Amino acid sequence: MRKTLVLASAVAVLASCKKTGDTEYIVSGNVKGIADGKMVMLQTQDETGMLKSVDTVKVQKEKFVFEGKAAEPEMYLVQVEGVMGKIPFILEEGEIDMTIDKDSLPLSKIKGSYNNDELNSYKQKGWEVQKKMIKFQQDNMAKMELAQKTKDMATIEALQKEYTKFQEDFIKQNDDYVSSHPKAFISALIIEGMFNQGAPDIKKIKGYYDNLDASVKNTKHGKKIKKQLDELGKPVAAVKELKAGDMAPDFTAPDATGKSVSLKQSMGKITIVDFWASWCNPCRAENPNMVALYKAFHSKGLNIISVSLDSDAAKWKGAIAKDGLTWTQVSNLKEMEDPIADAYGVKLIPTTFVLDASGKILARDLRGAELKEKIQSLLK
């Protein structure tokens, strides 16, 4: 009886030490070198993908505190006034400690909750691959620029092939993590991102989703995965499939300046309709090939019109500038619910259609060397 009372007392003491109740959070931050009165903003994305501030506090003696309620885990950002960049973390029930390195945000430390501890571990492993990838880019930047300038497709393709190995390392890291962490919120985010791969393995994604703990399945992101799987599980006959010989549907959409542009007015002797998005890694990896192709064949009659399935205008425009995409770019900013994608039956990206001058589809889903060979044969 005495042992039972001692155990009960110990549990009561532990419970009394907990500062947060159900669904409540306390984010305690420490940021050295920031003056009193500087603002710290807690931000998240709204339904359109735009950032919004949900709370703002002031720095006092190099510290700040956010308090509130979080019904479920979600990715948030902290922005410190006067500091370049934002600190991503998972806002969830409990006490979260944040030590911010204002001079090097990647060195900032977030701990105190299960999902943030897991995020730290996941990011650390990813950083090891990323360092190798950055070194490869630095070592080969001049080589790639020269190859693009001289239209040396063999060198471009060889460098792209080497670069793809890093993407394979990231994919393996994600597979290993999701397989072994069914209760981690990050697993849902990783699975969600798998739909953006060039040719998503739906069977694999479903297996990972089925293995998730119920607590993760019931989050907003878990439910989104379920919805996507249900949509992709619909009979293929329900999806319109355009093929060679069909006429490409005309469309009109805003370009990056807001001006309405149609397919009809963007046509060349040969036209590529390219479906992509800033968040699609395979699309971004293919962009250097598209840039080289456009430079090589635009003067001979090739036009390209890219349809972005983005929802964030700033990220879309940023990707256009960073990747050097100088041809026509349009987007309705509706992601996979874009009416142009629906008219073309596009469910996965990147997807390309090659059209003749009349708008007839000559080929689809060609990339890299295959696409170059096709365009070269058509513009002899």
Side-chain angles (χ1 to χ4, degrees), residues 238-243 246-253 263 273 275 307 309 332 335-347 351 353 355 361 364:
V239 179
K240 184 179 180 181
E241 185 77 14
L242 293 177
K243 59 186 183 301
D246 292 337
M247 293 301 295
D250 193 16
F251 57 81
T252 300
L263 169 63
V273 180
F275 289 87
V307 181
L309 304 188
N332 290 299
E335 281 198 352
M336 298 307 293
E337 296 182 4
D338 186 279
I340 305 171
D342 184 59
Y344 279 71
V346 173
K347 295 297 180 184
T351 293
F353 294 85
L355 317 180
I361 298 173
R364 61 170 293 167

PDB file of all heavy atoms in Angstrom, residues 238-243 246-253 263 273 275 307 309 332 335-347 351 353 355 361 364:
ATOM      1  N   ALA A 238     -11.569   7.520 -66.110  1.00  0.00           N
ATOM      2  CA  ALA A 238     -12.144   8.782 -65.649  1.00  0.00           C
ATOM      3  C   ALA A 238     -11.223   9.965 -65.961  1.00  0.00           C
ATOM      4  O   ALA A 238     -11.613  11.112 -65.846  1.00  0.00           O
ATOM      5  CB  ALA A 238     -12.401   8.725 -64.152  1.00  0.00           C
ATOM      6  N   VAL A 239      -9.964   9.663 -66.326  1.00  0.00           N
ATOM      7  CA  VAL A 239      -8.991  10.706 -66.619  1.00  0.00           C
ATOM      8  C   VAL A 239      -8.806  10.835 -68.128  1.00  0.00           C
ATOM      9  O   VAL A 239      -8.507   9.853 -68.804  1.00  0.00           O
ATOM     10  CB  VAL A 239      -7.624  10.373 -65.959  1.00  0.00           C
ATOM     11  CG1 VAL A 239      -6.612  11.461 -66.284  1.00  0.00           C
ATOM     12  CG2 VAL A 239      -7.792  10.190 -64.472  1.00  0.00           C
ATOM     13  N   LYS A 240      -8.989  12.016 -68.656  1.00  0.00           N
ATOM     14  CA  LYS A 240      -8.813  12.251 -70.083  1.00  0.00           C
ATOM     15  C   LYS A 240      -7.338  12.109 -70.439  1.00  0.00           C
ATOM     16  O   LYS A 240      -6.474  12.712 -69.823  1.00  0.00           O
ATOM     17  CB  LYS A 240      -9.302  13.651 -70.444  1.00  0.00           C
ATOM     18  CG  LYS A 240      -9.243  13.949 -71.938  1.00  0.00           C
ATOM     19  CD  LYS A 240      -9.776  15.350 -72.211  1.00  0.00           C
ATOM     20  CE  LYS A 240      -9.728  15.677 -73.700  1.00  0.00           C
ATOM     21  NZ  LYS A 240     -10.222  17.044 -73.964  1.00  0.00           N
ATOM     22  N   GLU A 241      -7.033  11.293 -71.430  1.00  0.00           N
ATOM     23  CA  GLU A 241      -5.653  11.006 -71.803  1.00  0.00           C
ATOM     24  C   GLU A 241      -5.397  11.493 -73.224  1.00  0.00           C
ATOM     25  O   GLU A 241      -5.870  10.890 -74.197  1.00  0.00           O
ATOM     26  CB  GLU A 241      -5.389   9.505 -71.693  1.00  0.00           C
ATOM     27  CG  GLU A 241      -3.947   9.109 -71.939  1.00  0.00           C
ATOM     28  CD  GLU A 241      -3.038   9.390 -70.753  1.00  0.00           C
ATOM     29  OE1 GLU A 241      -3.572   9.646 -69.658  1.00  0.00           O
ATOM     30  OE2 GLU A 241      -1.819   9.368 -70.931  1.00  0.00           O
ATOM     31  N   LEU A 242      -4.667  12.585 -73.377  1.00  0.00           N
ATOM     32  CA  LEU A 242      -4.310  13.079 -74.699  1.00  0.00           C
ATOM     33  C   LEU A 242      -3.126  12.289 -75.234  1.00  0.00           C
ATOM     34  O   LEU A 242      -2.216  11.935 -74.486  1.00  0.00           O
ATOM     35  CB  LEU A 242      -3.941  14.560 -74.623  1.00  0.00           C
ATOM     36  CG  LEU A 242      -5.079  15.526 -74.274  1.00  0.00           C
ATOM     37  CD1 LEU A 242      -4.537  16.944 -74.159  1.00  0.00           C
ATOM     38  CD2 LEU A 242      -6.187  15.461 -75.305  1.00  0.00           C
ATOM     39  N   LYS A 243      -3.134  12.032 -76.519  1.00  0.00           N
ATOM     40  CA  LYS A 243      -2.074  11.234 -77.136  1.00  0.00           C
ATOM     41  C   LYS A 243      -1.677  11.842 -78.473  1.00  0.00           C
ATOM     42  O   LYS A 243      -2.322  12.777 -78.964  1.00  0.00           O
ATOM     43  CB  LYS A 243      -2.537   9.794 -77.324  1.00  0.00           C
ATOM     44  CG  LYS A 243      -3.781   9.636 -78.184  1.00  0.00           C
ATOM     45  CD  LYS A 243      -4.260   8.203 -78.215  1.00  0.00           C
ATOM     46  CE  LYS A 243      -5.460   8.022 -79.138  1.00  0.00           C
ATOM     47  NZ  LYS A 243      -6.611   8.855 -78.770  1.00  0.00           N
ATOM     48  N   ASP A 246      -3.905  13.764 -81.351  1.00  0.00           N
ATOM     49  CA  ASP A 246      -4.975  14.616 -80.834  1.00  0.00           C
ATOM     50  C   ASP A 246      -4.602  16.083 -81.003  1.00  0.00           C
ATOM     51  O   ASP A 246      -3.417  16.443 -81.065  1.00  0.00           O
ATOM     52  CB  ASP A 246      -5.215  14.340 -79.339  1.00  0.00           C
ATOM     53  CG  ASP A 246      -5.798  12.964 -79.081  1.00  0.00           C
ATOM     54  OD1 ASP A 246      -6.411  12.403 -80.019  1.00  0.00           O
ATOM     55  OD2 ASP A 246      -5.644  12.450 -77.954  1.00  0.00           O
ATOM     56  N   MET A 247      -5.614  16.935 -81.041  1.00  0.00           N
ATOM     57  CA  MET A 247      -5.380  18.378 -81.070  1.00  0.00           C
ATOM     58  C   MET A 247      -5.245  18.876 -79.631  1.00  0.00           C
ATOM     59  O   MET A 247      -6.045  18.522 -78.765  1.00  0.00           O
ATOM     60  CB  MET A 247      -6.516  19.106 -81.769  1.00  0.00           C
ATOM     61  CG  MET A 247      -6.629  18.804 -83.256  1.00  0.00           C
ATOM     62  SD  MET A 247      -5.114  19.241 -84.183  1.00  0.00           S
ATOM     63  CE  MET A 247      -5.074  21.029 -83.989  1.00  0.00           C
ATOM     64  N   ALA A 248      -4.222  19.666 -79.398  1.00  0.00           N
ATOM     65  CA  ALA A 248      -3.992  20.202 -78.052  1.00  0.00           C
ATOM     66  C   ALA A 248      -5.035  21.270 -77.732  1.00  0.00           C
ATOM     67  O   ALA A 248      -5.276  22.166 -78.539  1.00  0.00           O
ATOM     68  CB  ALA A 248      -2.597  20.811 -77.961  1.00  0.00           C
ATOM     69  N   PRO A 249      -5.682  21.190 -76.572  1.00  0.00           N
ATOM     70  CA  PRO A 249      -6.661  22.217 -76.200  1.00  0.00           C
ATOM     71  C   PRO A 249      -5.993  23.586 -76.073  1.00  0.00           C
ATOM     72  O   PRO A 249      -4.901  23.698 -75.508  1.00  0.00           O
ATOM     73  CB  PRO A 249      -7.172  21.740 -74.834  1.00  0.00           C
ATOM     74  CG  PRO A 249      -6.829  20.282 -74.772  1.00  0.00           C
ATOM     75  CD  PRO A 249      -5.570  20.134 -75.565  1.00  0.00           C
ATOM     76  N   ASP A 250      -6.641  24.593 -76.611  1.00  0.00           N
ATOM     77  CA  ASP A 250      -6.125  25.957 -76.433  1.00  0.00           C
ATOM     78  C   ASP A 250      -6.417  26.384 -74.999  1.00  0.00           C
ATOM     79  O   ASP A 250      -7.315  25.852 -74.341  1.00  0.00           O
ATOM     80  CB  ASP A 250      -6.798  26.910 -77.425  1.00  0.00           C
ATOM     81  CG  ASP A 250      -6.088  28.261 -77.494  1.00  0.00           C
ATOM     82  OD1 ASP A 250      -4.935  28.355 -77.018  1.00  0.00           O
ATOM     83  OD2 ASP A 250      -6.691  29.228 -78.010  1.00  0.00           O
ATOM     84  N   PHE A 251      -5.662  27.345 -74.504  1.00  0.00           N
ATOM     85  CA  PHE A 251      -5.891  27.854 -73.146  1.00  0.00           C
ATOM     86  C   PHE A 251      -5.354  29.269 -73.040  1.00  0.00           C
ATOM     87  O   PHE A 251      -4.543  29.709 -73.863  1.00  0.00           O
ATOM     88  CB  PHE A 251      -5.223  26.956 -72.104  1.00  0.00           C
ATOM     89  CG  PHE A 251      -3.736  26.771 -72.295  1.00  0.00           C
ATOM     90  CD1 PHE A 251      -2.817  27.726 -71.854  1.00  0.00           C
ATOM     91  CD2 PHE A 251      -3.239  25.623 -72.911  1.00  0.00           C
ATOM     92  CE1 PHE A 251      -1.449  27.544 -72.023  1.00  0.00           C
ATOM     93  CE2 PHE A 251      -1.865  25.434 -73.090  1.00  0.00           C
ATOM     94  CZ  PHE A 251      -0.978  26.397 -72.638  1.00  0.00           C
ATOM     95  N   THR A 252      -5.816  29.961 -72.026  1.00  0.00           N
ATOM     96  CA  THR A 252      -5.348  31.307 -71.719  1.00  0.00           C
ATOM     97  C   THR A 252      -5.124  31.397 -70.222  1.00  0.00           C
ATOM     98  O   THR A 252      -5.960  30.931 -69.438  1.00  0.00           O
ATOM     99  CB  THR A 252      -6.366  32.381 -72.144  1.00  0.00           C
ATOM    100  OG1 THR A 252      -6.581  32.282 -73.566  1.00  0.00           O
ATOM    101  CG2 THR A 252      -5.855  33.779 -71.812  1.00  0.00           C
ATOM    102  N   ALA A 253      -3.989  31.972 -69.810  1.00  0.00           N
ATOM    103  CA  ALA A 253      -3.667  32.084 -68.390  1.00  0.00           C
ATOM    104  C   ALA A 253      -2.741  33.281 -68.174  1.00  0.00           C
ATOM    105  O   ALA A 253      -2.093  33.752 -69.111  1.00  0.00           O
ATOM    106  CB  ALA A 253      -3.006  30.804 -67.890  1.00  0.00           C
ATOM    107  N   LEU A 263      -2.186  29.873 -75.575  1.00  0.00           N
ATOM    108  CA  LEU A 263      -1.337  28.927 -76.303  1.00  0.00           C
ATOM    109  C   LEU A 263      -1.248  29.331 -77.762  1.00  0.00           C
ATOM    110  O   LEU A 263      -0.168  29.322 -78.367  1.00  0.00           O
ATOM    111  CB  LEU A 263      -1.903  27.510 -76.174  1.00  0.00           C
ATOM    112  CG  LEU A 263      -1.278  26.446 -77.085  1.00  0.00           C
ATOM    113  CD1 LEU A 263       0.192  26.265 -76.760  1.00  0.00           C
ATOM    114  CD2 LEU A 263      -2.025  25.119 -76.970  1.00  0.00           C
ATOM    115  N   VAL A 273       4.645  22.258 -74.802  1.00  0.00           N
ATOM    116  CA  VAL A 273       3.855  22.672 -73.644  1.00  0.00           C
ATOM    117  C   VAL A 273       4.408  21.877 -72.463  1.00  0.00           C
ATOM    118  O   VAL A 273       4.333  20.650 -72.428  1.00  0.00           O
ATOM    119  CB  VAL A 273       2.354  22.381 -73.834  1.00  0.00           C
ATOM    120  CG1 VAL A 273       1.571  22.833 -72.613  1.00  0.00           C
ATOM    121  CG2 VAL A 273       1.828  23.067 -75.088  1.00  0.00           C
ATOM    122  N   PHE A 275       4.536  21.195 -68.435  1.00  0.00           N
ATOM    123  CA  PHE A 275       3.891  21.313 -67.120  1.00  0.00           C
ATOM    124  C   PHE A 275       4.941  21.052 -66.039  1.00  0.00           C
ATOM    125  O   PHE A 275       5.608  20.006 -66.041  1.00  0.00           O
ATOM    126  CB  PHE A 275       2.742  20.313 -66.992  1.00  0.00           C
ATOM    127  CG  PHE A 275       1.551  20.650 -67.838  1.00  0.00           C
ATOM    128  CD1 PHE A 275       1.480  20.230 -69.158  1.00  0.00           C
ATOM    129  CD2 PHE A 275       0.499  21.399 -67.321  1.00  0.00           C
ATOM    130  CE1 PHE A 275       0.384  20.550 -69.950  1.00  0.00           C
ATOM    131  CE2 PHE A 275      -0.603  21.726 -68.104  1.00  0.00           C
ATOM    132  CZ  PHE A 275      -0.661  21.295 -69.424  1.00  0.00           C
ATOM    133  N   VAL A 307       3.589  25.735 -68.190  1.00  0.00           N
ATOM    134  CA  VAL A 307       2.419  25.903 -67.326  1.00  0.00           C
ATOM    135  C   VAL A 307       2.806  25.447 -65.931  1.00  0.00           C
ATOM    136  O   VAL A 307       3.065  24.265 -65.700  1.00  0.00           O
ATOM    137  CB  VAL A 307       1.218  25.079 -67.838  1.00  0.00           C
ATOM    138  CG1 VAL A 307       0.005  25.296 -66.945  1.00  0.00           C
ATOM    139  CG2 VAL A 307       0.906  25.431 -69.286  1.00  0.00           C
ATOM    140  N   LEU A 309       2.285  24.561 -62.032  1.00  0.00           N
ATOM    141  CA  LEU A 309       1.259  24.113 -61.098  1.00  0.00           C
ATOM    142  C   LEU A 309       1.632  24.535 -59.680  1.00  0.00           C
ATOM    143  O   LEU A 309       1.555  23.764 -58.726  1.00  0.00           O
ATOM    144  CB  LEU A 309       1.078  22.594 -61.191  1.00  0.00           C
ATOM    145  CG  LEU A 309       0.752  22.063 -62.593  1.00  0.00           C
ATOM    146  CD1 LEU A 309       0.393  20.590 -62.539  1.00  0.00           C
ATOM    147  CD2 LEU A 309      -0.382  22.858 -63.229  1.00  0.00           C
ATOM    148  N   ASN A 332      -2.093  29.575 -63.223  1.00  0.00           N
ATOM    149  CA  ASN A 332      -3.317  29.993 -62.529  1.00  0.00           C
ATOM    150  C   ASN A 332      -3.148  29.904 -61.018  1.00  0.00           C
ATOM    151  O   ASN A 332      -4.077  30.214 -60.266  1.00  0.00           O
ATOM    152  CB  ASN A 332      -4.490  29.111 -62.968  1.00  0.00           C
ATOM    153  CG  ASN A 332      -4.913  29.383 -64.398  1.00  0.00           C
ATOM    154  OD1 ASN A 332      -5.310  30.497 -64.733  1.00  0.00           O
ATOM    155  ND2 ASN A 332      -4.804  28.378 -65.261  1.00  0.00           N
ATOM    156  N   GLU A 335      -2.141  24.856 -58.276  1.00  0.00           N
ATOM    157  CA  GLU A 335      -1.489  23.553 -58.125  1.00  0.00           C
ATOM    158  C   GLU A 335      -2.143  22.508 -59.034  1.00  0.00           C
ATOM    159  O   GLU A 335      -2.418  22.774 -60.194  1.00  0.00           O
ATOM    160  CB  GLU A 335      -1.480  23.113 -56.655  1.00  0.00           C
ATOM    161  CG  GLU A 335      -0.386  23.801 -55.840  1.00  0.00           C
ATOM    162  CD  GLU A 335      -0.078  23.104 -54.541  1.00  0.00           C
ATOM    163  OE1 GLU A 335      -0.793  22.163 -54.142  1.00  0.00           O
ATOM    164  OE2 GLU A 335       0.911  23.516 -53.891  1.00  0.00           O
ATOM    165  N   MET A 336      -2.428  21.302 -58.491  1.00  0.00           N
ATOM    166  CA  MET A 336      -2.923  20.203 -59.318  1.00  0.00           C
ATOM    167  C   MET A 336      -4.393  20.388 -59.724  1.00  0.00           C
ATOM    168  O   MET A 336      -4.931  19.585 -60.486  1.00  0.00           O
ATOM    169  CB  MET A 336      -2.751  18.870 -58.598  1.00  0.00           C
ATOM    170  CG  MET A 336      -1.305  18.508 -58.289  1.00  0.00           C
ATOM    171  SD  MET A 336      -0.176  18.542 -59.714  1.00  0.00           S
ATOM    172  CE  MET A 336      -0.812  17.176 -60.694  1.00  0.00           C
ATOM    173  N   GLU A 337      -5.039  21.413 -59.229  1.00  0.00           N
ATOM    174  CA  GLU A 337      -6.415  21.702 -59.630  1.00  0.00           C
ATOM    175  C   GLU A 337      -6.460  22.724 -60.757  1.00  0.00           C
ATOM    176  O   GLU A 337      -7.512  23.289 -61.059  1.00  0.00           O
ATOM    177  CB  GLU A 337      -7.223  22.189 -58.428  1.00  0.00           C
ATOM    178  CG  GLU A 337      -7.372  21.113 -57.341  1.00  0.00           C
ATOM    179  CD  GLU A 337      -8.222  21.574 -56.170  1.00  0.00           C
ATOM    180  OE1 GLU A 337      -8.755  22.691 -56.231  1.00  0.00           O
ATOM    181  OE2 GLU A 337      -8.344  20.808 -55.204  1.00  0.00           O
ATOM    182  N   ASP A 338      -5.339  22.950 -61.399  1.00  0.00           N
ATOM    183  CA  ASP A 338      -5.257  23.901 -62.507  1.00  0.00           C
ATOM    184  C   ASP A 338      -6.141  23.438 -63.669  1.00  0.00           C
ATOM    185  O   ASP A 338      -6.086  22.274 -64.072  1.00  0.00           O
ATOM    186  CB  ASP A 338      -3.810  24.008 -62.984  1.00  0.00           C
ATOM    187  CG  ASP A 338      -3.632  25.084 -64.026  1.00  0.00           C
ATOM    188  OD1 ASP A 338      -3.939  24.806 -65.203  1.00  0.00           O
ATOM    189  OD2 ASP A 338      -3.210  26.189 -63.671  1.00  0.00           O
ATOM    190  N   PRO A 339      -6.961  24.323 -64.231  1.00  0.00           N
ATOM    191  CA  PRO A 339      -7.865  23.935 -65.325  1.00  0.00           C
ATOM    192  C   PRO A 339      -7.131  23.509 -66.594  1.00  0.00           C
ATOM    193  O   PRO A 339      -7.649  22.693 -67.368  1.00  0.00           O
ATOM    194  CB  PRO A 339      -8.698  25.199 -65.564  1.00  0.00           C
ATOM    195  CG  PRO A 339      -7.898  26.315 -64.977  1.00  0.00           C
ATOM    196  CD  PRO A 339      -7.170  25.724 -63.813  1.00  0.00           C
ATOM    197  N   ILE A 340      -5.917  24.052 -66.818  1.00  0.00           N
ATOM    198  CA  ILE A 340      -5.152  23.646 -67.997  1.00  0.00           C
ATOM    199  C   ILE A 340      -4.667  22.208 -67.819  1.00  0.00           C
ATOM    200  O   ILE A 340      -4.761  21.381 -68.735  1.00  0.00           O
ATOM    201  CB  ILE A 340      -3.950  24.581 -68.236  1.00  0.00           C
ATOM    202  CG1 ILE A 340      -4.409  26.044 -68.325  1.00  0.00           C
ATOM    203  CG2 ILE A 340      -3.209  24.195 -69.522  1.00  0.00           C
ATOM    204  CD1 ILE A 340      -3.262  27.041 -68.351  1.00  0.00           C
ATOM    205  N   ALA A 341      -4.150  21.902 -66.628  1.00  0.00           N
ATOM    206  CA  ALA A 341      -3.718  20.530 -66.339  1.00  0.00           C
ATOM    207  C   ALA A 341      -4.886  19.565 -66.484  1.00  0.00           C
ATOM    208  O   ALA A 341      -4.740  18.455 -67.005  1.00  0.00           O
ATOM    209  CB  ALA A 341      -3.130  20.453 -64.931  1.00  0.00           C
ATOM    210  N   ASP A 342      -6.068  19.998 -66.047  1.00  0.00           N
ATOM    211  CA  ASP A 342      -7.255  19.149 -66.156  1.00  0.00           C
ATOM    212  C   ASP A 342      -7.611  18.902 -67.625  1.00  0.00           C
ATOM    213  O   ASP A 342      -7.936  17.775 -68.014  1.00  0.00           O
ATOM    214  CB  ASP A 342      -8.430  19.817 -65.436  1.00  0.00           C
ATOM    215  CG  ASP A 342      -9.664  18.938 -65.418  1.00  0.00           C
ATOM    216  OD1 ASP A 342      -9.582  17.812 -64.892  1.00  0.00           O
ATOM    217  OD2 ASP A 342     -10.710  19.368 -65.943  1.00  0.00           O
ATOM    218  N   ALA A 343      -7.522  19.953 -68.444  1.00  0.00           N
ATOM    219  CA  ALA A 343      -7.846  19.812 -69.874  1.00  0.00           C
ATOM    220  C   ALA A 343      -6.880  18.871 -70.582  1.00  0.00           C
ATOM    221  O   ALA A 343      -7.257  18.185 -71.536  1.00  0.00           O
ATOM    222  CB  ALA A 343      -7.831  21.182 -70.540  1.00  0.00           C
ATOM    223  N   TYR A 344      -5.640  18.836 -70.105  1.00  0.00           N
ATOM    224  CA  TYR A 344      -4.622  17.981 -70.717  1.00  0.00           C
ATOM    225  C   TYR A 344      -4.502  16.624 -70.026  1.00  0.00           C
ATOM    226  O   TYR A 344      -3.695  15.793 -70.423  1.00  0.00           O
ATOM    227  CB  TYR A 344      -3.270  18.691 -70.712  1.00  0.00           C
ATOM    228  CG  TYR A 344      -3.098  19.687 -71.843  1.00  0.00           C
ATOM    229  CD1 TYR A 344      -3.798  20.888 -71.856  1.00  0.00           C
ATOM    230  CD2 TYR A 344      -2.247  19.427 -72.905  1.00  0.00           C
ATOM    231  CE1 TYR A 344      -3.652  21.801 -72.879  1.00  0.00           C
ATOM    232  CE2 TYR A 344      -2.077  20.332 -73.942  1.00  0.00           C
ATOM    233  CZ  TYR A 344      -2.796  21.521 -73.935  1.00  0.00           C
ATOM    234  OH  TYR A 344      -2.642  22.414 -74.970  1.00  0.00           O
ATOM    235  N   GLY A 345      -5.291  16.407 -68.967  1.00  0.00           N
ATOM    236  CA  GLY A 345      -5.237  15.141 -68.242  1.00  0.00           C
ATOM    237  C   GLY A 345      -3.948  14.938 -67.476  1.00  0.00           C
ATOM    238  O   GLY A 345      -3.509  13.809 -67.255  1.00  0.00           O
ATOM    239  N   VAL A 346      -3.316  16.042 -67.055  1.00  0.00           N
ATOM    240  CA  VAL A 346      -2.038  15.964 -66.353  1.00  0.00           C
ATOM    241  C   VAL A 346      -2.274  15.730 -64.865  1.00  0.00           C
ATOM    242  O   VAL A 346      -2.899  16.546 -64.194  1.00  0.00           O
ATOM    243  CB  VAL A 346      -1.216  17.254 -66.564  1.00  0.00           C
ATOM    244  CG1 VAL A 346       0.037  17.246 -65.690  1.00  0.00           C
ATOM    245  CG2 VAL A 346      -0.834  17.389 -68.029  1.00  0.00           C
ATOM    246  N   LYS A 347      -1.772  14.627 -64.352  1.00  0.00           N
ATOM    247  CA  LYS A 347      -1.871  14.297 -62.932  1.00  0.00           C
ATOM    248  C   LYS A 347      -0.506  14.259 -62.262  1.00  0.00           C
ATOM    249  O   LYS A 347      -0.413  14.307 -61.038  1.00  0.00           O
ATOM    250  CB  LYS A 347      -2.563  12.939 -62.746  1.00  0.00           C
ATOM    251  CG  LYS A 347      -4.022  12.933 -63.199  1.00  0.00           C
ATOM    252  CD  LYS A 347      -4.864  13.890 -62.373  1.00  0.00           C
ATOM    253  CE  LYS A 347      -6.323  13.888 -62.808  1.00  0.00           C
ATOM    254  NZ  LYS A 347      -7.120  14.889 -62.063  1.00  0.00           N
ATOM    255  N   THR A 351       5.478  16.933 -67.148  1.00  0.00           N
ATOM    256  CA  THR A 351       4.822  16.348 -68.322  1.00  0.00           C
ATOM    257  C   THR A 351       5.002  17.313 -69.490  1.00  0.00           C
ATOM    258  O   THR A 351       4.799  18.522 -69.324  1.00  0.00           O
ATOM    259  CB  THR A 351       3.326  16.111 -68.070  1.00  0.00           C
ATOM    260  OG1 THR A 351       3.166  15.093 -67.078  1.00  0.00           O
ATOM    261  CG2 THR A 351       2.625  15.657 -69.342  1.00  0.00           C
ATOM    262  N   PHE A 353       4.291  18.093 -73.832  1.00  0.00           N
ATOM    263  CA  PHE A 353       3.601  17.789 -75.081  1.00  0.00           C
ATOM    264  C   PHE A 353       4.330  18.532 -76.194  1.00  0.00           C
ATOM    265  O   PHE A 353       4.613  19.729 -76.067  1.00  0.00           O
ATOM    266  CB  PHE A 353       2.145  18.261 -75.026  1.00  0.00           C
ATOM    267  CG  PHE A 353       1.300  17.538 -74.024  1.00  0.00           C
ATOM    268  CD1 PHE A 353       1.279  17.936 -72.692  1.00  0.00           C
ATOM    269  CD2 PHE A 353       0.521  16.442 -74.396  1.00  0.00           C
ATOM    270  CE1 PHE A 353       0.498  17.276 -71.760  1.00  0.00           C
ATOM    271  CE2 PHE A 353      -0.263  15.769 -73.466  1.00  0.00           C
ATOM    272  CZ  PHE A 353      -0.272  16.178 -72.137  1.00  0.00           C
ATOM    273  N   LEU A 355       3.995  19.885 -79.981  1.00  0.00           N
ATOM    274  CA  LEU A 355       2.938  20.212 -80.943  1.00  0.00           C
ATOM    275  C   LEU A 355       3.529  20.699 -82.254  1.00  0.00           C
ATOM    276  O   LEU A 355       4.601  21.323 -82.280  1.00  0.00           O
ATOM    277  CB  LEU A 355       2.027  21.318 -80.378  1.00  0.00           C
ATOM    278  CG  LEU A 355       1.593  21.251 -78.915  1.00  0.00           C
ATOM    279  CD1 LEU A 355       0.703  22.441 -78.601  1.00  0.00           C
ATOM    280  CD2 LEU A 355       0.892  19.941 -78.608  1.00  0.00           C
ATOM    281  N   ILE A 361      -0.784  17.233 -81.452  1.00  0.00           N
ATOM    282  CA  ILE A 361       0.216  16.620 -80.583  1.00  0.00           C
ATOM    283  C   ILE A 361       1.016  15.595 -81.389  1.00  0.00           C
ATOM    284  O   ILE A 361       0.450  14.668 -81.975  1.00  0.00           O
ATOM    285  CB  ILE A 361      -0.447  15.942 -79.367  1.00  0.00           C
ATOM    286  CG1 ILE A 361      -1.189  16.980 -78.523  1.00  0.00           C
ATOM    287  CG2 ILE A 361       0.602  15.214 -78.514  1.00  0.00           C
ATOM    288  CD1 ILE A 361      -2.022  16.391 -77.402  1.00  0.00           C
ATOM    289  N   ARG A 364       4.527  13.079 -76.484  1.00  0.00           N
ATOM    290  CA  ARG A 364       4.356  13.555 -75.115  1.00  0.00           C
ATOM    291  C   ARG A 364       5.321  12.819 -74.178  1.00  0.00           C
ATOM    292  O   ARG A 364       5.810  11.741 -74.487  1.00  0.00           O
ATOM    293  CB  ARG A 364       2.917  13.382 -74.622  1.00  0.00           C
ATOM    294  CG  ARG A 364       2.414  11.949 -74.596  1.00  0.00           C
ATOM    295  CD  ARG A 364       1.079  11.870 -73.855  1.00  0.00           C
ATOM    296  NE  ARG A 364       1.228  12.179 -72.426  1.00  0.00           N
ATOM    297  CZ  ARG A 364       0.215  12.417 -71.605  1.00  0.00           C
ATOM    298  NH1 ARG A 364      -1.025  12.390 -72.053  1.00  0.00           N
ATOM    299  NH2 ARG A 364       0.439  12.684 -70.325  1.00  0.00           N
TER     300      ARG A 364
END
